Amino acid sequence: DIQLTQSPYSLSASVGDRVTITCRASQSVRIYLNWYQQKPGKAPNLLIYGTSSLQRGVPSRFSGSGSGTDFTLTISTLQPEDFATYYCQQSYSTPNTFGQGTNLEIK
Amino acid sequence: EVQLLESGGDLVQPGGSLRLSCVGSGFIFSNYAMSWVRQAPGKGLEWVSAIAGTSETTYYADSVKGRFTIYRDNSENTVFLQMNNLRVEDTAIYYCAKEGLIVGKSQFDYWGQGTLVTVSS
């Protein structure tokens, strides 16, 4: 199975900050890397698919990059509604594993 | 508008069985693979199982293989998860999620609201 390791595990930031979350795969997943946002009590919401494609309706302050084993999710200017938990997920092979999550908190 | 609605979650004793259902609408159901993803209380996301649009291919996580069965009824736009021999560690919110055209090879672009399964004596 492909393991995904996110860093940091937890992050404190302020509104207006630029934030980067990384996801490292235990082997290459090519560009089959996706990002989700989850708020408490809600289902996950797809943000980025195929490493860098923005899901319809997602604000352009979210962006993704990388390839192979190293990927990043960047939020250019944090908004109050962005404080949530973020997960990466690989769709290169089954089982489609998730990272452990990154909890983004208000500083 | 794409919608997914799960049902069937309940409190069940260890060793018991439960069947979850997920009804999809707003898209051509038979064209798309579907998955179940679970989340234990306070924990992260765990993919559980996936099924191709025409049911020819199914996948399972090792943690549920031999105990859970995924299947679908495209005439009813419904995907099911039959869960047998349930364990305490199966306690979680179970989400169904819509995939792309190829099972196991795409993102989960729509999710249901989840249904809670609690396994406890």
Side-chain angles (χ1 to χ4, degrees), chain A residues 38 87, chain B residues 37-46 88-95 116-117:
Chain A
Q38 187 179 32
Y87 294 93
Chain B
V37 177
R38 68 185 180 183
Q39 187 168 36
K43 302 297 184 182
L45 301 170
E46 180 189 15
V88 171
E89 55 265 34
D90 295 319
T91 295
I93 296 172
Y94 284 73
Y95 296 101
L116 178 62
V117 172

Side-chain angles (χ1 to χ4, degrees), chain B residues 27-120:
Chain B
F27 62 104
I28 302 174
F29 189 79
S30 60
N31 281 1
Y32 294 92
M34 298 293 295
S35 273
W36 289 94
V37 177
R38 68 185 180 183
Q39 187 168 36
K43 302 297 184 182
L45 301 170
E46 180 189 15
W47 172 83
V48 173
S49 183
I51 186 168
T54 53
S55 304
E56 71 273 16
T57 305
T58 58
Y59 296 108
Y60 298 93
D62 286 345
S63 57
V64 307
K65 201 172 294 182
R67 300 188 298 123
F68 290 12
T69 301
I70 190 171
Y71 62 101
R72 63 194 294 162
D73 181 348
N74 286 340
S75 69
E76 297 291 334
N77 286 1
T78 303
V79 60
F80 301 94
L81 187 67
Q82 177 66 44
M83 304 186 295
N84 297 332
N85 191 19
L86 281 160
R87 303 168 179 169
V88 171
E89 55 265 34
D90 295 319
T91 295
I93 296 172
Y94 284 73
Y95 296 101
C96 75
K98 173 183 167 291
E99 289 194 42
L101 300 178
I102 302 174
V103 62
K105 283 291 189 182
S106 55
Q107 62 277 8
F108 304 128
D109 56 0
Y110 292 93
W111 299 64
Q113 84 291 346
T115 188
L116 178 62
V117 172
T118 303
V119 185
S120 174

Side-chain angles (χ1 to χ4, degrees), chain A residues 22-68:
Chain A
T22 67
C23 179
R24 174 163 288 178
S26 59
Q27 63 189 78
S28 176
V29 297
R30 295 174 61 185
I31 62 164
Y32 294 94
L33 196 285
N34 313 302
W35 291 95
Y36 301 85
Q37 177 193 68
Q38 187 179 32
K39 296 182 179 179
K42 300 294 187 181
N45 181 50
L46 176 66
L47 299 174
I48 302 283
Y49 63 94
T51 296
S52 59
S53 296
L54 195 66
Q55 174 68 354
R56 191 165 32 208
V58 173
S60 59
R61 62 181 180 272
F62 292 92
S63 64
S65 64
S67 68

